[in-house]
Amino acid sequence: MKNWKYKRLSECSNFISERTSNITIDNYISTENMIENRGGVKIASTLPDVKSTSAYKPNDILLSNIRPYFCKIWFADKKGSCSNDVLVVRAKKEIDPKFLYYVLSDQNFFNWDSMTSKGTKMPRGTPNAIMKYSVPDIPFHTQQKIASILSAYDDLIQNYKKQIEALQTTASELYKEWFVRFRFPGYKNSRFENGIPEGWKIERIGNIGEVIGGGTPSTENEEYWDGDIPWLSPVDLSDNTNVYVSRGGKNITKLGLQKSSAKMMPKDTVLLSSRAPVGYVALAKNPICTNQGFKSVVCNTSVIQPIYLYFYFRMNKNYLQSIASGATFPELSGSMMKKLKVLLPQMELQKEFSKKANIFISKAELLSEQITNLTQQRDLLLPRLMRGALEVH
């Protein structure tokens, strides 16, 4: 199949301009809740104040038309609504919709979309140019076979994601059971004082750990970037589903670290985004630094376990957002963080919780590694299938 013929995308699909007034949190898709690098979509956080939006149906392909290099694409499995910045592509009868989805998931398509986009700060794809993209003109049954091969990878990835979600939910429920509902081991024999179990304390963050901010090296100096020091911004945690994080989308150099307010923090630091937005949280898997959008906590482990504080922040996200202040955008300042009060169970109970929670978290981390491997395998296989470099039986 090395001598495949090709046709334009316009010959096998159309952009859809249908409208709908059925706009819900569950079905609304915008560029904000599309996940980069072919990650699909997540539940929308807000809805537009409009009477109607663009509509999509099952088997439609949704493409983010802003900053094509983020590679945001989704194969619709339901009908719903979407913003004007999302292009809805519908396959014609002669092409398998799932095959077309994989054609447009190929990095070659996103390279084409980026190359033909217009604008500098926020480039947008050009619909006319997109429709000139080359699509393999192959028999329908071959399209289905290719889609089936690639779907097997995606189905397994989705299965692992569901398992990760279940494991993390179990760990969260364990935290709630012990430290919110107070049904911890031995609770029936415990006495309560001032509404909390005897021996527990309420302490300020500043007294149980070191609150550390961050910084950004000048982007005008190339010597500060592309080094080997992991550097995080809140954006790096926007689609993160793991408890631990090892790095973000960018690294900085030692010189960049020295010439900025960024600070190296040790493994197990509790990383909390303090603005844009408030409330993303993760644990450092290794030494790491962040930009100024974080107020992280290096825990005094003789007083508080990092995994306990991680879940404390996670369970109190709405409260953290409610106390943030600022005219331009809400922010948690360093002084606010230090004054923030935390319920401190006895250390023995914290350690027991950490041990049990880490069983679920470790399983989730292994599944996450398998997802990374499967994604890499799929993304290596995809372009080879699309150019006919592999025989399909």
Side-chain angles (χ1 to χ4, degrees):
M1 294 186 183
K2 293 182 179 180
N3 297 316
W4 278 359
K5 294 182 180 180
Y6 292 84
K7 56 186 175 183
R8 288 187 171 185
L9 181 60
S10 60
E11 298 178 63
C12 55
S13 70
N14 294 307
F15 284 128
I16 302 302
S17 56
E18 297 171 0
R19 307 289 292 181
T20 181
S21 58
N22 181 24
I23 308 168
T24 70
I25 285 291
D26 292 328
N27 75 22
Y28 182 69
I29 307 299
S30 70
T31 58
E32 284 76 20
N33 65 314
M34 296 187 77
I35 303 172
E36 61 185 80
N37 295 323
R38 310 164 190 85
V41 296
K42 57 185 178 181
I43 298 296
S45 57
T46 59
L47 291 178
D49 185 18
V50 295
K51 292 183 178 180
S52 69
T53 66
S54 298
Y56 65 85
K57 295 179 180 179
N59 297 330
D60 283 345
I61 301 158
L62 276 60
L63 291 166
S64 171
N65 199 38
I66 296 178
R67 294 173 175 168
Y69 49 80
F70 280 137
C71 306
K72 294 182 177 182
I73 186 170
W74 179 56
F75 186 76
D77 57 5
K78 57 186 176 184
K79 65 179 180 179
S81 57
C82 60
S83 75
N84 293 332
D85 290 322
V86 175
L87 300 176
V88 180
V89 180
R90 186 169 297 165
K92 294 181 179 179
K93 292 182 179 179
E94 67 270 18
I95 191 164
D96 180 71
K98 201 62 180 283
F99 171 74
L100 184 59
Y101 162 76
Y102 285 115
V103 170
L104 300 181
S105 294
D106 189 353
Q107 187 60 46
N108 288 317
F109 167 73
F110 288 111
N111 291 343
W112 170 266
D113 196 7
S114 296
M115 182 179 66
T116 58
S117 63
K118 294 182 179 180
T120 52
K121 289 187 176 180
M122 192 175 290
R124 292 174 180 267
T126 308
N128 287 338
I130 290 173
M131 279 298 173
K132 293 178 182 178
Y133 185 70
S134 297
V135 177
D137 188 6
I138 57 178
F140 195 82
H141 70 275
T142 305
Q143 298 174 26
Q144 290 181 314
K145 287 180 180 178
I146 290 175
S148 177
I149 291 170
L150 295 169
S151 290
Y153 283 88
D154 281 338
D155 290 345
L156 194 53
I157 288 170
Q158 288 304 313
N159 180 275
Y160 285 165
K161 285 182 177 180
K162 289 179 180 178
Q163 291 184 51
I164 289 173
E165 185 178 355
L167 287 164
Q168 292 180 344
T169 297
T170 302
S172 296
E173 284 301 314
L174 182 66
Y175 176 91
K176 291 178 183 178
E177 186 72 1
W178 286 19
F179 306 120
V180 178
R181 305 183 189 107
F182 295 144
R183 294 174 180 172
F184 49 87
Y187 77 94
K188 290 183 178 180
N189 300 320
S190 296
R191 296 174 58 188
F192 283 71
E193 295 179 349
N194 299 319
I196 62 174
E198 186 178 27
W200 294 27
K201 300 177 181 178
I202 295 178
E203 191 57 87
R204 297 186 187 276
I205 292 287
N207 295 332
I208 60 174
E210 182 183 3
V211 176
I212 298 178
T216 302
S218 172
T219 54
E220 297 180 359
N221 193 326
E222 294 181 356
E223 294 182 347
Y224 296 165
W225 297 93
D226 298 324
D228 55 5
I229 297 175
W231 180 85
L232 283 182
S233 73
V235 172
D236 294 313
L237 296 185
S238 61
D239 298 321
N240 178 59
T241 57
N242 298 322
V243 173
Y244 286 91
V245 63
S246 59
R247 61 184 60 251
K250 297 180 180 179
N251 284 3
I252 63 174
T253 63
K254 290 182 179 179
L255 185 60
L257 181 67
Q258 294 169 0
K259 297 294 184 179
S260 71
S261 299
K263 298 177 179 64
M264 288 303 297
M265 296 173 289
K267 179 181 181 297
D268 288 328
T269 295
V270 184
L271 308 165
L272 179 72
S273 67
S274 56
R275 67 180 186 182
V278 173
Y280 289 154
V281 62
L283 287 174
K285 194 172 185 177
N286 42 255
I288 203 167
C289 64
T290 72
N291 76 351
Q292 57 275 21
F294 285 83
K295 294 295 181 291
S296 302
V297 183
V298 178
C299 295
N300 177 349
T301 53
S302 66
V303 180
I304 189 167
Q305 292 287 293
I307 194 71
Y308 172 81
L309 186 59
Y310 164 85
F311 278 102
Y312 178 85
F313 284 150
R314 184 170 168 176
M315 296 300 153
N316 288 279
K317 181 178 180 179
N318 290 339
Y319 173 69
L320 293 173
Q321 292 176 339
S322 72
I323 64 172
S325 62
T328 307
F329 46 76
E331 180 176 7
L332 281 175
S333 66
S335 60
M336 292 172 68
M337 273 292 294
K338 291 175 183 178
K339 293 177 182 177
L340 188 66
K341 293 180 179 180
V342 178
L343 178 64
L344 280 184
Q346 293 171 331
M347 179 53 64
E348 183 179 344
L349 189 60
Q350 287 189 50
K351 287 183 177 180
E352 188 174 350
F353 167 75
S354 296
K355 183 178 180 180
K356 289 183 178 293
N358 272 317
I359 293 173
F360 304 117
I361 293 168
S362 296
K363 289 180 180 179
E365 292 290 320
L366 288 174
L367 288 171
S368 182
E369 290 176 8
Q370 292 183 51
I371 287 175
T372 299
N373 292 334
L374 285 168
T375 301
Q376 291 174 346
Q377 292 171 29
R378 179 202 63 194
D379 291 347
L380 287 172
L381 188 61
L382 194 156
R384 299 185 68 189
L385 288 169
M386 290 304 160
R387 67 173 183 265
L390 295 175
E391 290 289 337
V392 179
H393 302 288

